[in-house]
Amino acid sequence: MNLALISHQTCMEHRMGAHHPECPERLHAIQDRLIASGMEMLVTHFDSPAATIDQLARVHDRAYIQSIMDAAPKTDDALTWIDGDTAMNRHSLEAALHSAGAAILGVDLVMGDRYHTAFCSVRPPGHHAGRAKASGFCIFNNVAIGAAHALEHHGLERVAIVDFDVHHGDGTEEIFAGDERILFCSSFQHPFYPGTGADSVAPNVVNLPMPRLTDGEAFKAKVEASWLPRLNAFAPQLIMVSAGFDGHVEDDMAHFNLREADFGWITREIHKLATKYCKERVVSCLEGGYTLSALGRCVSTHIDELIGHV
Ligand SMILES: [Zn+2]
């Protein structure tokens, strides 16, 4: 089954200064690796539309959306900082709108018959963005906007969000805590940025804090004991993924010791669940991953498993 690979040119033009780790080269590294590995032949490319204000407003305050629009610089060399780690250049607003739009298009595609799985190769990432705040390189919460679209537009009643980025998905947690239509599973290094996630905030949030130097064996054991029973009991009608690869051993943004095979394993488990409960429907959105070579290899492995071999 073909996979929809969704991106947009503006995602390559959003830049937060010369030395910022969340850089356009990340998407180029993914593209280069997909070509080199032959995976490029197995995907169909889509340009993402811009998300509308109403689509964003399902998860963000309208005043916050307006503040982002107002903050967007109008000149080529201007950079506006909207958070200690997050800036906007002239293209960032469009990139953020098209990144959110990619998650929406991904949901629309997998709810149809031609594509079971979609990967949104987009930036800025989204999972730290809360209802009314930009944070940690994120402006709009792409995966949450996609999940809300699945609930409101497609009428789904159970959407699982699996977040295996090395950082806690605090924005996604804030948006959906207490909303029983969502099961949110987040694994992350703790204690670490952004410092949240150790406490259980709501029954529909399954946080997995793990110590530094966590390796594949420890990660698998925790996921098998905690997430998989909850995901099976939830029987999702769609699985969204916050796909962060910054837990890779070569990634110096954090201190996990995961490898490509471990990201392959968690993706395979997600795909198995989707095959069992929801016609393989998975929409995955890129989050972190900052060492370019490792990011390319991890995404190639992730897409290979999403395409599946069943
Ligand atoms: Zn991260």
Side-chain angles (χ1 to χ4, degrees), residues 61-255:
D61 291 353
R62 286 183 185 270
Y64 170 68
I65 298 166
Q66 187 60 50
S67 77
I68 293 299
M69 303 225 164
D70 293 343
K74 307 286 188 289
T75 55
D76 272 342
D77 50 354
L79 205 58
T80 303
W81 289 89
I82 53 174
D83 162 74
D85 305 313
T86 316
M88 296 178 73
N89 74 350
R90 186 175 189 163
H91 305 286
S92 302
L93 175 60
E94 284 299 312
L97 293 173
H98 284 277
S99 293
I104 288 171
L105 176 60
V107 169
D108 287 341
L109 287 172
V110 305
M111 292 308 296
D113 291 330
R114 286 195 61 195
Y115 298 91
H116 287 164
T117 55
F119 181 74
C120 302
S121 190
V122 294
R123 51 184 294 281
H127 74 152
H128 295 306
R131 286 197 170 276
K133 77 172 167 88
S135 177
F137 317 160
C138 303
I139 299 175
F140 298 131
N141 195 315
N142 308 320
V143 82
I145 290 162
H149 182 70
L151 297 174
E152 306 298 332
H153 181 76
H154 292 281
L156 298 191
E157 296 170 339
R158 295 182 311 283
V159 176
I161 302 175
V162 177
D163 183 336
F164 54 73
D165 188 278
V166 79
H167 303 97
H168 180 230
D170 56 333
T172 312
E173 177 182 270
E174 185 213 355
I175 288 165
F176 288 127
D179 185 340
E180 296 293 332
R181 300 173 299 172
I182 299 285
L183 180 67
F184 178 52
C185 299
S186 181
S187 60
F188 49 94
Q189 181 177 332
H190 186 82
F192 199 53
Y193 179 90
T196 49
D199 301 321
S200 180
V201 297
N204 70 315
V205 175
V206 189
N207 283 328
L208 279 185
M210 301 186 204
R212 54 187 287 131
L213 307 182
T214 289
D215 63 7
E217 286 307 306
F219 177 76
K220 281 184 207 178
K222 285 212 168 187
V223 166
E224 282 175 344
S226 172
W227 283 2
L228 298 186
R230 287 295 303 272
L231 286 161
N232 273 294
F234 187 67
Q237 296 167 300
L238 167 70
I239 302 178
M240 306 279 304
V241 182
S242 269
F245 302 95
D246 37 9
H248 193 277
V249 64
E250 293 170 24
D251 199 303
D252 51 15
M253 188 68 79
H255 316 96

